[in-house]
Structure formats: structure tokens, C-alpha cells
Amino acid sequence: MSTANHSGGFHHAHHFDSAEHQYDASKQGIWLFLVTEILMFGGLFVGYSIYHSLYPQVFHAGSKQLSVVLGALNTVVLLFSSFTMALGINYVQRGLRNKAIIALAVTIACAAIFMVVKFFEYTHKFHVGTVPGKYAYTEELSASGEKVTKVGALLAEANKLSVVEREHKLHLDETEFEHLTLLEKTKNWPLFFGFYFVMSGIHGLHVLAGAFLIFWVLLKVIKNQVGPEYYTPVEGVGLFWHVVDLIWIYLFPLLYLVG
Amino acid sequence: MAHEQHNYLNHQKGIWSWLTTLDHKRIGIMYFVAIMSFFFLGGVFALLVRAELFTPGKTLFSADVYNRMMTYHGAIMVFMVIVPGIPAIFGNFVLPIMIGAKDVAFPRLNLMSWYMLMIGAAITGSTLFLENVDTGWTFYTPYSSIKTGLGVIPMVLGVFIIGFSSILTGLNFIVTTHKLRAPGMTMNRIPLMVWALYSTAILQVLATPVLAITLLLLIAEKTLGVGIFDPQLGGDPVLFQHFFWFYSHPAVYIMILPAMGVISELVATYSRKVIFGYTAIAYSSLAIAGVSFLVWGHHMFVSGQSEFAGVLFSFITMLVGVPTAIKLFNWIATMYKGSIRLDAPMLFAIGFMFLFTIGGLTGVYLASTGMDIHFHDTYFVVAHFHYVMVGGTLMALMGALIYWFPKVTGKIYSDLVGRISWVFIFTGFNVTFFPQFILGNMGMPRRYYDYLPTFTELNQMSTFGSWLIGTGFLVGLYGVIYALLKGKEAGNNPFGGKTLEWTTASPPPHENFESTPVLTGGPYEYR
């Protein structure tokens, strides 16, 4: 048991005929679970498409507010992580323990990068006030008696300043200022950020869950509990991770590029 | 007790061995204990709701309390009793045995499902003491999202977790049915109960995630105010109903399909005949499961959806009647010229057919858009779905309980007690809910605390009936306790069943069979 490329001592559970039989069953179970994940996000996609057709201008103005660069960066990071995950599975299957450890660790690092980028995106949104629903509004009312949004308040302040001062004091560059002005002119714009935060938020939770699961199989690899004879958990987690990636591949164009 | 047989009950000892068990039979029993406790609680709420409606105006408590009781009655009965009921209790116990497996595919996941039901129920139940919820079990927006208190959040979170439990059970059953059948047990030889559970499992896996996201959105709406359901922020409260019924209509078949599976078993065993139209019954389960996804719009005929959508949903809804009728006619054809024994389980099976037919036919009324405008949100609807869900599922549950009791415990459930229980439940049921058809037709709205004095007599009749049902279930409970304490030894096959579970010992050994069975023919080979 001390040699690296070996996961000896694995016995299939008593109600299965063979290890292969057990592997087949586990794989079917994981695929079924992934179907439920897709269906759950399916509900969100349905909601998205309904509101997109109702308020195209909201989604247009809202998506301009998202950073395509950061979104694309995250897409690349996740695609790369899917690649390293696939490598990790392959290495475990071939018994290349050290390489597998590196591949899985890189995958976790990618998940971390994704979340860090997400963190900067989110905090920036809190800063400019592009937040969902009722939290997008301030307490005050405008002269015409309408509720003032946080973006509206920020723009009012920005309008009093020169371009340089905006950049310096409010961290608003010229393009962003224009985008926010366009956004503020659109009725019901906080709805877009409702979808943005819920969809990317639930996806983000899945990234965290995935990273946790990859860490779990990483420990299994380190402890020699998986190897060429038994790699079901590695492959299952891998499939989950690919689905997390896949969902982002849909979310990215829908949220960032659609405008 | 010098020589005690080795079985799953004495395989391990102590409460801890139960709480950590991976044996599907023990998990089935744990589900039984848990779900029956919920059933008792939900039943008490039902009796209180009916008691309040004994007279118009205030009878026992305020409108506020009434709304809460009605909510808890609905939520407990739907999410914690009828949806998990037959699959979790009897499915867990008999499905692996019926297909000749040693256990379900994922025993640990199975135990986890039980714990998730417990956790979900605890969170939902905690709202009883923290902040009562008064939304009704459907949690319709905008009332649930904007108006009422924050108790909705833990309630919905609990239901979300219970939904997970349901998904995992379904997933487990699908894989078990696919991968763990004994040699010779082809898909066309599995018992009809297994077909029913398999179809149910598909529904659980495909529909429940949509409920999950709906409830998450409701939580997001309440905590973050995302505005998806809030018209003030540009959202649409009716979208919630679409999402909700996209799950909850298939959920109606999650409730009824396992019951139909039970009835198939009972009818075959107590008529001592080859089941008529095995394939038709088997595939009609799948057909019901399939069609059920396309009918949610009939809950929303008066929500302002387009007339075209109304007509379409009306048509597809009526289509569900076809596979349902296929089942009913096949059961009747099975009984035809059979040597029928009217034991208690068979009485419950016949009761099922009687009540479910009434429930189904009144469903056709409600599926017709014109009629539905008249009956919408009246007591007619209440009577209809109680006939289907209670008259269907709970009759089957009682039948299943008495039928498989000897297999589970090794003791015979007193047939006399079973029959007495049946008389109370069956008559009580009709006395309770038949007047509600008339009330609904006369225009009494559902969910209301108060009603016009004209409706008093029929309401009193209904309340009286609810006491009969309550008595019936108490008799049923007495039967369980009596049988456990003083029941006769059952033997392996007291009722002459032909499916695999009757070939093993009662109670079965830890691994279900002494040696793996090999099949050479289909189930139900009488004569």
C-alpha cells in the first residue's frame, strides 16, 4: 500500500456483482444528478428568456455594464480548469499519482481565480450601485416623486464633477459613466441585475462546491484511496466540474455579450 | 426463544444501529415511523380546520389562526406525507426485494435522503414556533414574497431540502431498477409496483429541480428583493405559478403513480389471476409521467393566459385520462372471473378504484376551460383533489400497509381490524368530501375562513365525516400496535403472492435472499 501507483485493497460493495458493475451504477447515478442540475438552471434560463423578450432594452443596457474582459477571463480560466480536471482523471486512471495531484491542484487554483475575479466584479457592482431589485433604490425621492436609484445618486454626484475628478474621486471612467447614464434612462433596469446576481451567484456556489469536491478527491489521491482499479469518485467529480463549466459557457454570452 | 431466526431486524441491535443503518428495509421502516408522525400532525390540523368550519363565522379560533392551520395541513400532507409516502416507505422496502437485489444501488445516499427529509421537516416545522406561515402550501406570490412575514423563508428552505430528499430517492430507484435486477429479471418481467416506482422516480428527478429553483427564487426575492416576481420592480408574480405548477402538477403523479403500483399488486394477488394487460399497465405509468409535464397550465385557466394556451392545456390534461383509464380497465379485467378474496387490502384497492374514478372524472370537469371558470377556487376543486390524493394515495397506503405488514414484521395484521378501519375511512371519506362537490357547485370558495349560512348543513356533514376518517386511521394504528404485540406468525407467503418478495423469509434476512434468485418467467403467474 505504500507504493505510489496503486490503490489496492478496494472492494466493491456487497450488493454489486463486481467492481465494474458498481462503477456502471455510480456513473448512471452521477449523470442523473447532473440532469437535475441542468433542469434547475433550466428554470433560470426560462425566466431569463421571458424577461429578455419583455424588456430587451433592460438587458441591453444592463449587459453593457458588465465587464466583458473579466467575464472572458473567467471563461478561459474555467475552460482551462476543465482541461486540467480531465487530465487529472486520466492520470489517476493511469496511476500517475504525482501528475494527478498537480492537475487537480491546478483545477482548484482555477476555481479560486474564478472566485477572486467574481469578487472584484461583485464589489465593483456594489460600489456603483448596480444591485438587484429593491436594494438598487435609495430612501430619497426625486423632484417628480419617483424613487431614486443608487446609480442615479452616483450620477448626480458625478455630473457636478469634471471628467478627471470623476476618475479620481468616484473611480468612474468616461465609458462607464456613459453606460451608467444609459442604464439609468432604462426603466426597471435593476431586474437585469436580479438575474445577474442570482444566476452568477448560484453558479458561483456550484464553483465553490466543485472546488470542495475536487479537494476531497485530491485527498483521496494523496491517501492512495483511488487509482487505476478504482477511480469512480474522481470521474464523478470531474463530470460535475464539466457541468459547472458548461453552465458558465451559457451564462457568459447570455449575461455579458447579449447587449 | 431458544432458536431465533436470523433476519434484518435482529441482524444488529440498538438505536444507533438503526440511525446509521444502510439496509433499505430498515430505512423503509424509519421512513414509516417519520412519515406517520407527520401524517398524524397533518391530520390533526385537518380536523381542526374542519372543526372551525362547523359553523359560519368564528367557531374555535380566529381567521388568522385558521389560515396558518390550513397552510400547515397542506404543506405537511403534500411535502412530507403523500409525496414521499409510498415510494419512501414501501418503495424502499419492497423495490429491491421485488427485483431480487440485495439493496438499493446507493445505500448511503438512501440513508442521507432520510436525514434530509428529517432536516427539512425540522426546519419547516420550526416555523410553527418561530413565525407561522399563512400563505397556503402553494406559496403564491406576491402575497408570499411581499406581503406576509419572514417565516416563509425557513418554511420554503425546509421544503427545498425535502425536495432534495425526493430527488435522491428517485435517482436511487432508477439506478437500482436499471442495474441491480436479478438474473432473468428483464424489464418486462419486473412487477408492476416496480414499474410504477420507476416512473415516479423519473418524475422526481425531472420535476423536483424546477421546484428547487422556484423556491430559491422565492427566497432570493424575499431576502435580496431581486424583483423577478415583484410587479413593482418589473417582475411578474404569475411566473411563480408557472414554475410552481411545472413541478407541482407532475408531483400529483408522484403521489398517485406509486399508489397505482400498489393497486396492481393487490388486484393480482387477491384475484388470483394473471394480471390483465401487464404491458399496458406498465407503459401507461410511463405515459402518465410523460404527459404530466405538459399540463401545468390547467391550474392557470383564469390567470390571464391566452385562450389558445387554455385550449391546448385543456386538451392535454384530458389526455391524462387515457393511460389512467387503461390502468383501471385492466384492473377490472383482471378481477373479471378471478377468485376474488375481499380481504382488507383488496377492500382498500376497490376503495381506491371507486374514489379515484370519482376524482378522475371530476378532473375532466376541471380540465374543461368553460367549466373551470365556474368551479375555479371553489370547494369543488378541494373535493376533487382530495378524492384523487387522499382517496387514491392514502387508500393505497393503507392497503400496502396491511398487505406487506407480514413481510416487514413477520406478523399478520388482523384482517378484521383492517376491514373496520376501511369501513370508517371509506364512508368517512365520502361523507366528508362528497358534500364539498355540492358546496363548490353552489359557489362556496375554497381556503376561506367564513361562509354563507346557506352552506351550514353541508359543511357540518363534511366535518362529521372528518371525524369518521380520523377514527378510521386510529383503528388502523391500533391494528399496527396489536399486530406487533399479538399478531400471529405470518410465514413466508400468507396471501399467496407471486412476486419475488414472497419467496424469501418474513422478515427477510439481512441480504434479502439466502441465494440470489433466478427468474424464468414473469410476475403474477397464477394457474
Side-chain angles (χ1 to χ4, degrees):
Chain A
M1 286 283 275
S2 57
T3 48
N5 309 333
H6 188 256
S7 62
F10 165 71
H11 297 289
H12 59 85
H14 72 106
H15 55 291
F16 290 106
D17 299 336
S18 62
E20 200 187 342
H21 189 202
Q22 174 165 358
Y23 169 73
D24 279 352
S26 305
K27 203 161 173 181
Q28 194 174 53
I30 288 154
W31 275 107
L32 276 169
F33 176 71
L34 296 179
V35 167
T36 69
E37 287 283 9
I38 303 261
L39 274 161
M40 194 193 78
F41 275 97
L44 284 172
F45 287 133
V46 168
Y48 175 93
S49 50
I50 290 170
Y51 286 111
H52 186 271
S53 67
L54 282 177
Y55 308 107
Q57 67 288 13
V58 165
F59 284 76
H60 173 74
S63 69
K64 278 211 160 12
Q65 186 51 41
L66 303 183
S67 163
V68 178
V69 176
L70 290 182
L73 172 68
N74 259 349
T75 310
V76 174
V77 167
L78 272 195
L79 280 173
F80 181 72
S81 77
S82 251
F83 170 67
T84 55
M85 185 72 224
L87 274 184
I89 297 169
N90 187 284
Y91 289 143
V92 172
Q93 284 170 338
R94 288 160 55 196
L96 304 171
R97 180 169 169 269
N98 292 339
K99 284 188 175 178
I101 291 171
I102 293 170
L104 292 176
V106 171
T107 317
I108 297 174
C110 287
I113 295 172
F114 181 91
M115 291 312 288
V116 169
V117 173
K118 211 68 282 160
F119 172 79
F120 283 116
E121 284 190 87
Y122 273 22
T123 40
H124 180 70
K125 304 229 156 15
F126 298 143
H127 168 67
V128 293
T130 46
V131 288
K134 64 181 176 194
Y135 290 102
Y137 296 93
T138 56
E139 298 288 302
E140 28 183 329
L141 295 175
S142 70
S144 57
E146 283 182 8
K147 280 190 280 184
V148 175
T149 62
K150 285 177 182 161
V151 172
L154 184 75
L155 287 175
E157 201 181 332
N159 276 325
K160 292 176 200 153
L161 303 170
S162 73
V163 177
V164 186
E165 278 176 321
R166 276 180 209 155
E167 182 96 51
H168 185 67
K169 277 191 177 169
L170 302 174
H171 307 287
L172 272 184
D173 62 18
E174 195 56 14
T175 12
E176 179 152 40
F177 179 74
E178 275 168 27
H179 285 159
L180 285 175
T181 316
L182 170 76
L183 186 72
E184 184 56 14
K185 281 185 194 145
T186 320
K187 196 172 158 15
N188 284 332
W189 65 261
L191 197 59
F192 174 82
F193 292 95
F195 274 102
Y196 171 76
F197 275 97
V198 171
M199 291 174 100
S200 65
I202 294 178
H203 177 262
L205 286 178
H206 279 79
V207 171
L208 287 179
F212 179 79
L213 289 170
I214 298 168
F215 183 67
W216 172 66
V217 293
L218 177 64
L219 287 182
K220 275 185 177 295
V221 176
I222 292 173
K223 288 189 208 155
N224 273 323
Q225 288 168 345
V226 287
E229 300 104 75
Y230 174 66
Y231 47 82
T232 314
V234 192
E235 189 164 347
V237 169
L239 285 171
F240 177 77
W241 188 249
H242 295 319
V243 165
V244 172
D245 185 14
L246 184 75
I247 289 168
W248 178 256
I249 290 172
Y250 281 94
L251 284 180
F252 174 58
L254 281 182
L255 293 170
Y256 290 73
L257 303 179
V258 82
Chain B
M1 285 287 170
H3 173 71
E4 202 174 3
Q5 217 193 345
H6 202 61
N7 61 44
Y8 78 99
L9 291 167
N10 55 31
H11 179 73
Q12 281 171 308
K13 291 248 179 333
I15 186 88
W16 188 244
S17 78
W18 279 85
L19 290 174
T20 57
T21 185
L22 299 179
D23 185 337
H24 68 100
K25 300 183 284 300
R26 286 186 164 206
I27 293 173
I29 292 182
M30 278 158 58
Y31 268 119
F32 177 78
V33 174
I35 291 174
M36 285 303 129
S37 320
F38 302 146
F39 181 50
F40 181 78
L41 198 63
V44 169
F45 281 124
L47 290 174
L48 287 170
V49 164
R50 271 315 326 163
E52 168 54 43
L53 293 171
F54 195 72
T55 61
K58 185 179 168 176
T59 311
L60 290 173
F61 31 74
S62 68
D64 203 34
V65 177
Y66 170 86
N67 286 343
R68 283 150 207 250
M69 295 211 163
M70 187 197 67
T71 301
Y72 283 97
H73 164 65
I76 292 173
M77 286 304 202
V78 169
F79 295 117
M80 300 180 209
V81 180
I82 301 183
V83 167
I86 296 176
I89 302 171
F90 297 104
N92 252 314
F93 198 94
V94 299
L95 181 131
I97 312 186
M98 278 182 150
I99 60 171
K102 288 178 185 157
D103 205 328
V104 291
F106 310 116
R108 245 177 264 172
L109 197 68
N110 201 15
L111 182 66
M112 190 173 132
S113 310
W114 185 81
Y115 277 103
M116 293 198 101
L117 178 65
M118 292 302 106
I119 294 167
I123 296 176
T124 299
S126 70
T127 56
L128 268 169
F129 308 101
L130 300 172
E131 184 173 9
N132 279 208
V133 181
D134 57 354
T135 55
W137 73 276
T138 50
F139 312 116
Y140 271 7
T141 53
Y143 183 73
S144 61
S145 60
I146 306 171
K147 289 282 179 193
T148 192
L150 291 175
V152 173
I153 295 173
M155 181 104 170
V156 161
L157 189 70
V159 172
F160 175 82
I161 296 170
I162 292 171
F164 245 100
S165 160
S166 180
I167 290 176
L168 296 179
T169 305
L171 191 153
N172 221 335
F173 284 2
I174 291 179
V175 179
T176 308
T177 313
H178 276 297
K179 298 287 178 191
L180 292 181
R181 300 193 307 275
M185 170 81 66
T186 61
M187 275 308 261
N188 284 326
R189 282 180 184 170
I190 59 179
L192 289 168
M193 173 77 177
V194 178
W195 265 114
L197 289 168
Y198 177 73
S199 312
T200 310
I202 292 176
L203 281 180
Q204 285 174 309
V205 169
L206 296 185
T208 322
V210 181
L211 177 74
I213 195 64
T214 313
L215 298 179
L216 278 184
L217 281 174
L218 182 57
I219 293 174
E221 187 82 36
K222 233 170 153 60
T223 50
L224 304 173
V226 288
I228 291 171
F229 300 134
D230 184 352
Q232 279 185 319
L233 299 169
D236 180 2
V238 180
L239 180 68
F240 178 87
Q241 295 186 30
H242 280 287
F243 277 168
F244 183 83
W245 288 113
F246 187 83
Y247 162 77
S248 290
H249 197 82
V252 173
Y253 302 102
I254 295 178
M255 303 175 203
I256 204 67
L257 277 171
M260 290 171 158
V262 170
I263 301 308
S264 302
E265 298 297 321
L266 297 181
V267 166
T269 303
Y270 287 97
S271 306
R272 323 226 140 261
K273 256 185 75 191
V274 185
I275 195 109
F276 185 89
Y278 169 89
T279 347
I281 300 183
Y283 290 117
S284 64
S285 290
L286 287 177
I288 292 175
V291 177
S292 73
F293 279 102
L294 309 171
V295 300
W296 79 91
H298 69 227
H299 291 267
M300 303 169 75
F301 282 151
V302 298
S303 72
Q305 71 186 10
S306 75
E307 274 178 36
F308 176 71
V311 170
L312 207 62
F313 279 123
S314 171
F315 173 73
I316 307 173
T317 302
M318 290 184 193
L319 215 58
V320 180
V322 177
T324 313
I326 288 175
K327 281 183 190 294
L328 257 171
F329 290 136
N330 278 310
W331 291 328
I332 292 167
T334 307
M335 286 161 71
Y336 177 69
K337 286 192 177 169
S339 49
I340 299 173
R341 276 167 49 185
L342 286 179
D343 286 355
M346 188 61 173
L347 287 177
F348 278 107
I350 293 172
F352 172 97
M353 289 185 231
F354 187 86
L355 301 178
F356 190 77
T357 305
I358 297 179
L361 289 179
T362 48
V364 180
Y365 288 42
L366 293 170
S368 323
T369 46
M371 298 289 269
D372 185 68
I373 289 168
H374 177 62
F375 288 131
H376 187 84
D377 271 354
T378 66
Y379 260 78
F380 193 91
V381 180
V382 177
H384 157 72
F385 74 72
H386 277 89
Y387 262 89
V388 174
M389 280 152 59
V390 189
T393 311
L394 289 180
M395 291 302 262
L397 192 99
M398 284 301 291
L401 173 66
I402 300 171
Y403 179 61
W404 279 304
F405 196 85
K407 188 46 67 188
V408 176
T409 62
K411 303 281 177 62
I412 292 267
Y413 189 104
S414 158
D415 205 58
L416 179 67
V417 178
R419 285 166 193 237
I420 296 171
S421 167
W422 179 80
V423 169
F424 273 106
I425 297 176
F426 185 78
T427 38
F429 188 83
N430 284 298
V431 173
T432 308
F433 294 106
F434 203 83
Q436 296 186 1
F437 281 125
I438 304 166
L439 282 170
N441 193 31
M442 286 160 78
M444 178 169 157
R446 69 193 277 205
R447 301 196 181 103
Y448 281 26
Y449 168 67
D450 199 0
Y451 53 82
L452 294 174
T454 345
F455 302 138
T456 310
E457 284 80 11
L458 285 168
N459 267 297
Q460 288 180 344
M461 199 191 281
S462 186
T463 303
F464 174 68
S466 73
W467 299 336
L468 291 181
I469 303 179
T471 315
F473 280 113
L474 285 181
V475 172
L477 177 67
Y478 165 78
V480 171
I481 297 166
Y482 181 82
L484 283 177
L485 296 178
K486 292 189 175 170
K488 282 185 289 185
E489 292 295 321
N492 291 356
N493 190 2
F495 308 128
K498 290 282 179 184
T499 39
L500 269 187
E501 79 270 28
W502 301 110
T503 61
T504 186
S506 326
H510 176 59
E511 291 201 332
N512 294 347
F513 299 94
E514 295 299 338
S515 60
T516 308
V518 178
L519 276 97
T520 51
Y524 320 116
E525 291 192 336
Y526 291 94
R527 278 181 304 197

